[in-house]
Amino acid sequence: STQDDYDGELGSRRTIIYALDFIMQANFYQGVNESAIIREVINNLHVDTLIDSDGHGNASIPNVKLTVLPNPLNVSPDSDYGFTTNKLYSEEGDSSG
């Protein structure tokens, strides 16, 4: 929904507020284990059929597989390092990702 609070002269400040509603489904897993340093994180994002403003389904949204690795790969926990993020897009129904 859109809310437009305009009161006064044409050159005065105008506030437009967009309110978005969405549903996010997530799984949370409990338990903390002692283990080695995590050197690779893979996140598979799947978008279900979206509904556009006309009420039609939009199935052209790709699924995304994000892989995050430390850069360089052989860093120690106390090192100053960055991350490399790889994105692999696949269309809905494509099982290659």
Side-chain angles (χ1 to χ4, degrees):
S1 69
T2 303
Q3 178 182 344
D4 188 354
D5 294 334
Y6 178 70
D7 188 17
E9 298 177 13
L10 184 60
S12 64
R13 184 176 177 147
R14 184 175 186 176
T15 304
I16 299 174
I17 299 172
Y18 290 95
L20 305 174
D21 294 323
F22 62 93
I23 297 172
M24 181 176 146
Q25 296 177 345
N27 295 320
F28 295 98
Y29 300 96
Q30 68 180 20
V32 177
N33 298 325
E34 293 293 326
S35 64
I37 298 170
I38 298 171
R39 298 206 179 261
E40 180 179 30
V41 176
I42 299 173
N43 189 356
N44 292 305
L45 304 175
H46 174 75
V47 178
D48 286 332
T49 302
L50 298 178
I51 305 299
D52 62 18
S53 60
D54 295 329
H56 299 98
N58 181 0
S60 65
I61 305 297
N63 297 319
V64 182
K65 179 179 182 179
L66 297 174
T67 304
V68 181
L69 303 164
N71 186 4
L73 292 173
N74 60 350
V75 298
S76 67
D78 298 325
S79 298
D80 186 17
Y81 57 91
F83 293 95
T84 301
T85 303
N86 298 314
K87 298 175 189 168
L88 176 65
Y89 296 93
S90 63
E91 292 298 324
E92 189 170 338
D94 181 4
S95 61
S96 65

